[in-house]
Amino acid sequence: MSSFRTALVALALGFLSQLAQHALETEYLNAFLRDNLLTLLIALLAINSATTGIVLTKIRGLIESGGSASVFSSTRAQMVLSVREQVVLIVVAISALTVASSPLLPKSDIVQLFFESIVVGVFAYSLLVLYDTAIGVLLIVDFDPNSDC
């Protein structure tokens, strides 16, 4: 999935979660993410980085045992993109949480909905990145160097 489409899906999930919270008259998710989002994002970045190292080691072993390096030509670029996306998510989260808590921001339901949707969207995007990483690991584990891929 492209980064743009992933961002749109994540923002839609953020907005829908806000509608659901409003309908259920709860602020649980917003309060949880306000207090824990940065910690979660940094932990997910650490998990992704460790996983990337393991995957690259496995790829190197597959290539050395007779696999074709061309099969993995886009893998490195996707891994770098994944790390960049996660760093951007951390910056966006810091920015959104900082601006949303500013006393200079107009106190309106629309402004609050906007920033809370962004915060939940950032969390959703990070989960989508984690999902993509997990799928990549499964593909590497199932890779057969003797196939004609």
Side-chain angles (χ1 to χ4, degrees), residues 5-21:
R5 190 171 9 159
T6 303
L8 289 178
V9 168
L11 287 173
L13 290 172
F15 180 71
L16 292 173
S17 75
Q18 294 308 304
L19 295 178
Q21 284 188 104

Side-chain angles (χ1 to χ4, degrees), residues 43-122:
L44 289 172
L45 176 61
I47 291 167
N48 191 33
S49 297
T51 303
T52 297
I54 292 168
V55 167
L56 289 174
T57 301
K58 176 73 173 169
I59 289 172
R60 173 62 58 199
L62 290 170
I63 291 170
E64 289 174 357
S65 69
S68 171
S70 64
V71 173
F72 303 107
S73 62
S74 69
T75 303
R76 182 181 180 280
Q78 289 300 314
M79 290 178 172
V80 170
L81 175 63
S82 173
V83 171
R84 285 182 182 153
E85 286 174 329
Q86 289 183 299
V87 170
V88 168
L89 288 173
I90 291 169
V91 171
V92 169
I94 290 169
S95 301
L97 290 168
T98 300
V99 172
S101 66
S102 172
L104 302 176
L105 194 67
K107 299 298 177 201
S108 101
D109 290 340
I110 298 295
V111 171
Q112 184 178 3
L113 174 69
F114 175 76
F115 281 103
E116 289 173 346
S117 294
I118 289 175
V119 169
V120 176
V122 165

Side-chain angles (χ1 to χ4, degrees), residues 1-51:
M1 190 178 323
S2 74
S3 297
F4 182 72
R5 190 171 9 159
T6 303
L8 289 178
V9 168
L11 287 173
L13 290 172
F15 180 71
L16 292 173
S17 75
Q18 294 308 304
L19 295 178
Q21 284 188 104
H22 180 71
L24 296 170
E25 298 179 7
T26 182
E27 279 288 311
Y28 176 78
L29 183 59
N30 293 336
F32 176 78
L33 291 178
R34 218 177 355 261
D35 294 340
N36 299 301
L37 181 60
L38 292 175
T39 303
L40 288 169
L41 291 176
I42 291 168
L44 289 172
L45 176 61
I47 291 167
N48 191 33
S49 297
T51 303

